[in-house]
Amino acid sequence: MNLLKKINYKWINKFSYPFIIAGPCSAENESQIMNTIKYINKDYVEVFRAGIWKPRTKPGMFEGVGEIGLKWLLKAKKKYNILISTEIANKEQAEIALKYDIDILWIGARSTCNPFTIEEIANSLSNTKKIVLIKNPLSLDINLWLGGVERLVNKNIFNIGIIHRGFTIYPSKTYRNIPCWLEVVNIKNKYPNIPIICDPSHITGNRKLIYEISKKAINFGYDGLMIETHIDPDNALSDANQQITPKNLTNILNKIFINKKKNKLNKLDLYRTNILEIDKNIIYLLKNRLNTSKDIGKIKKKNNIEIIQKEKMLDLKKYYKKICNLLDIDDNYIQNLFDIIHKKSIEIQLK
Ligand code: PEP
Ligand code: MN
């Protein structure tokens, strides 16, 4: 049997819809934890999150408070009768989280990239009944992601969910990590038994976009959301720009979920969103091409080289044709497009 089909969807049905995880990016101190949980709307939020070991891009940044943070989470759990969740990134962290009986464990994007890390974590969590959520890897490699999930299932872990937190594909001014809706919903189509959760905080990196991305995920049929929420977002020690206040969280969830039942997937919308993303990619690449063309123009000018070189153009045409054959795409269509692209490049180089 396909390992992925063994995942138990039932765990998510024990929660009400929508399944919401909220809480700060990082646990910073006890009062930040207790104050954040105090104001978080428990009608929506059934799981409180906080990272205590933080995978930071550069050394010297706030790297989390460590084990003591789990004590604060347990205190929050006891006082507010809420489930708690934290990120684990190696076997020692997995063992400590189990020792503290943390309810839900998540594996971060950087860890999902490394099969050795996942194998090691899966080993430590073998046979656990705990819920384990696994974020997508940094690059758009769905097999690597699902391979990580399989490693968990292989160790008899069946209460699993996947978190879409966006991918590093091309530099984007809008997103911190680009959402790839079609790819993720395709997983859901193939494996309806895998709960999918969207993390709009790490997708956007920007609190102004949390509502829009959360709404989109819910319209695409996601089971839930993980939203970074902090009592004082502007002064957060990590991911300040993307965290929202508990009050803002309630407003956003109210706007999305008032009178809302779980959606059936809106396929047309999904494909349209994908087209927008593809178009953005095309424009990004064209801009890149124009910049490169400009640089070539400077070198040509400096060295007195003709702007239009007939034999180079013929070479390019042959090159396009070869790629078109390989990809099985109408080469007339592509040549016509490139006529327009070249016209602009020549215009730029003539300037
Ligand atoms: C986080 O959830 O705070 C985090 C580090 O996320 P990611 O692994 O998605 O970067
Ligand atoms: Mn974060």
Side-chain angles (χ1 to χ4, degrees):
M1 186 184 180
N2 183 326
L3 286 172
L4 297 174
K5 296 209 162 141
K6 292 189 181 173
I7 290 170
N8 171 24
Y9 186 78
K10 284 196 197 113
W11 70 261
I12 204 162
N13 288 333
K14 297 205 174 115
F15 296 87
S16 46
Y17 176 78
F19 174 65
I20 308 287
I21 305 174
C25 177
S26 307
E28 298 168 6
N29 55 61
E30 189 173 330
S31 76
Q32 168 243 11
I33 287 292
M34 296 312 284
N35 263 323
T36 305
I37 181 68
K38 179 173 175 191
Y39 292 102
I40 275 183
N41 186 335
K42 284 102 187 156
D43 288 342
Y44 280 117
V45 179
E46 287 179 273
V47 183
F48 183 57
R49 67 152 276 161
I52 62 160
W53 298 287
K54 299 305 297 178
R56 306 310 300 273
T57 304
K58 285 176 187 287
M61 300 165 95
F62 174 67
E63 295 194 330
V65 294
E67 202 169 324
I68 192 173
L70 296 181
K71 296 192 175 135
W72 307 334
L73 283 177
L74 286 176
K75 193 166 166 192
K77 172 176 174 153
K78 199 162 166 207
K79 180 153 183 197
Y80 294 98
N81 189 27
I82 193 165
L83 297 186
I84 49 175
S85 173
T86 202
E87 173 177 349
I88 49 171
N90 60 35
K91 81 172 194 283
E92 289 78 21
Q93 295 173 4
E95 279 153 19
I96 295 171
L98 287 178
K99 186 177 93 190
Y100 280 80
D101 200 24
I102 303 303
D103 304 294
I104 297 184
L105 309 170
W106 87 81
I107 297 171
R110 289 156 193 81
S111 305
T112 311
C113 298
N114 186 345
F116 292 119
T117 302
I118 300 294
E119 190 66 26
E120 172 185 312
I121 293 173
N123 254 323
S124 300
L125 299 179
S126 285
N127 301 311
T128 187
K129 298 278 180 293
K130 300 234 177 253
I131 296 161
V132 182
L133 306 174
I134 174 161
K135 291 199 178 192
N136 65 257
L138 300 174
S139 58
L140 180 51
D141 186 343
I142 300 295
N143 283 331
L144 183 61
W145 191 9
L146 294 181
V149 178
E150 287 178 22
R151 286 178 196 278
L152 296 171
V153 178
N154 251 335
K155 300 288 177 211
N156 295 324
I157 302 163
F158 302 111
N159 295 331
I160 292 177
I162 59 175
I163 304 179
H164 177 199
R165 50 77 81 197
F167 299 84
T168 308
I169 305 178
Y170 55 88
S172 162
K173 285 205 172 105
T174 317
Y175 301 116
R176 179 173 174 197
N177 296 291
I178 313 242
C180 293
W181 302 108
L182 192 63
E183 285 79 357
V184 179
V185 176
N186 273 340
I187 301 178
K188 185 73 180 167
N189 279 342
K190 210 159 159 200
Y191 303 103
N193 59 312
I194 308 183
I196 42 171
I197 292 151
C198 177
D199 169 351
S201 309
H202 292 88
I203 287 179
T204 62
N206 173 358
R207 69 178 68 115
K208 290 201 187 91
L209 299 178
I210 301 293
Y211 165 68
E212 184 191 305
I213 291 296
S214 302
K215 189 169 155 199
K216 208 166 251 174
I218 293 307
N219 283 340
F220 289 151
Y222 280 56
D223 298 282
L225 302 167
M226 180 193 254
I227 302 183
E228 285 190 340
T229 309
H230 190 293
I231 192 65
D232 181 11
D234 284 331
N235 291 306
L237 297 182
S238 58
D239 289 351
N241 293 339
Q242 69 197 33
Q243 302 206 60
I244 58 175
T245 60
K247 187 163 171 233
N248 194 359
L249 177 72
T250 301
N251 291 340
I252 287 174
L253 295 175
N254 276 341
K255 266 207 284 185
I256 300 174
F257 289 106
I258 289 274
N259 298 327
K260 188 163 189 99
K261 293 231 165 56
K262 190 158 181 181
N263 255 22
K264 274 252 176 306
L265 169 70
N266 179 347
K267 271 214 167 128
L268 186 60
D269 227 27
L270 181 63
Y271 281 99
R272 282 190 176 137
T273 307
N274 209 45
I275 288 280
L276 290 182
E277 214 42 60
I278 292 170
D279 287 352
K280 199 193 271 175
N281 265 298
I282 294 175
I283 295 170
Y284 170 76
L285 289 173
L286 282 174
K287 172 152 172 73
N288 219 335
R289 197 184 191 286
L290 283 175
N291 286 343
T292 307
S293 211
K294 213 187 263 174
D295 290 341
I296 292 178
K298 285 184 198 149
I299 296 178
K300 281 182 179 166
K301 190 170 173 198
K302 201 168 153 204
N303 297 293
N304 256 326
I305 300 171
E306 280 298 322
I307 301 272
I308 302 171
Q309 292 174 291
K310 278 251 164 63
E311 69 286 9
K312 287 258 178 303
M313 286 300 255
L314 288 174
D315 283 352
L316 275 180
K317 287 200 171 195
K318 273 191 222 152
Y319 174 68
Y320 300 145
K321 195 170 174 130
K322 201 166 138 196
I323 297 175
C324 288
N325 283 338
L326 218 78
L327 298 179
D328 196 19
I329 178 168
D330 175 7
D331 77 298
N332 256 327
Y333 162 61
I334 297 297
Q335 295 293 359
N336 286 338
L337 267 177
F338 272 103
D339 284 346
I340 300 173
I341 292 171
H342 288 150
K343 212 172 134 206
K344 187 74 188 170
S345 284
I346 293 168
E347 188 188 310
I348 280 192
Q349 295 194 356
L350 283 172
K351 272 193 205 154

